[in-house]
Amino acid sequence: MKQYRIDVNIVDDHIMVCQGLADAINRSDNIRVSRTFNTIEACRQTLQERRPDVLLLDISMPVGDGIDFCKEVIAAYPKMKVIAVTIHDEYSVIQRMLDTGVHGYVLKYSSVEQLTEAIIRVWQGERYVCPEAQTIISQSQQRVVALTDVERNILRLICDGLPNPQIADRLSLSTETVNWYRKRILAKFGVSNTVNLVRLVLKEKLL
């Protein structure tokens, strides 16, 4: 007979995902999924009376914000561990979630072995970020560049879709100067054209 040690709850609006995760996790000798929830509110009400050791939380829920809910439960129940289990592999989302104090971050395409490892490690007091998310964080941090005030202003106007002559008028610069700055900004971000620059800046919210 299995000796369960770690009690886990799951919050995900997709019933099949909840069931699939529960079935996979319950194959472990040391972990048991005792409850699943398809809404944040259902989880919130249950936590007032009974809390698991570890809560697996999807970030994208149809009603309520997963990041805000994570902040709420960490503040209200400091002994309970929370792991984000999500499809979001954008640096900005990962960093926002880590800033809440979440104990773990696992992408949904990670293996079951990674998820069970995350559960055990956060239960033991560690923080766990899956290797894929760690790579995204590392690559994004490497892209952080220092911009002057002029470069930052020009970058904002580039992202607004303004051509060089209009940017020059806005900032009281010559078109040639704006063109020089544009090339300098492209080089700093390591991209070859304006389309890729704007896509990178907007995706990762670098402004």
Side-chain angles (χ1 to χ4, degrees), residues 46-150:
T46 300
L47 290 179
Q48 294 174 0
E49 299 179 357
R50 184 185 178 281
R51 288 170 290 284
D53 298 311
V54 179
L55 180 69
L56 305 184
L57 173 63
D58 187 13
I59 294 175
S60 299
M61 300 292 288
V63 179
D65 184 290
I67 295 178
D68 288 341
F69 183 60
C70 183
K71 293 178 184 177
E72 174 188 329
V73 297
I74 287 175
Y77 313 114
K79 292 184 179 180
M80 186 178 69
K81 310 298 184 181
V82 182
I83 299 174
V85 182
T86 177
I87 63 171
H88 286 289
D89 58 2
E90 306 93 344
Y91 171 73
S92 58
V93 177
I94 297 171
Q95 192 57 58
R96 282 181 64 204
M97 199 66 185
L98 293 179
D99 287 345
T100 68
V102 73
H103 306 92
Y105 197 100
V106 178
L107 294 168
K108 283 189 175 179
Y109 52 75
S110 300
S111 66
V112 174
E113 290 75 18
Q114 283 179 334
L115 181 55
T116 55
E117 179 185 358
I119 292 169
I120 293 170
R121 286 175 59 177
V122 302
W123 179 72
Q124 291 173 336
E126 301 178 42
R127 181 182 242 191
Y128 181 91
V129 179
C130 71
E132 295 83 0
Q134 288 179 359
T135 298
I136 293 165
I137 293 170
S138 176
Q139 291 174 345
S140 296
Q141 289 174 337
Q142 291 171 7
R143 279 199 291 266
V144 174
V145 296
L147 297 176
T148 66
D149 291 341
V150 174

Side-chain angles (χ1 to χ4, degrees), residues 24-38:
I25 292 169
N26 282 336
R27 296 191 185 103
S28 169
D29 290 336
N30 300 318
I31 307 169
R32 178 189 60 168
V33 176
S34 60
R35 283 179 174 81
T36 62
F37 305 97
N38 301 124

Side-chain angles (χ1 to χ4, degrees), residues 180-199:
W180 181 84
Y181 271 116
R182 184 187 288 261
K183 292 178 180 178
R184 180 179 171 87
I185 292 168
L186 290 174
K188 282 191 173 186
F189 280 94
V191 293
S192 59
N193 56 58
T194 301
V195 172
N196 289 336
L197 172 66
V198 173
R199 183 181 295 120

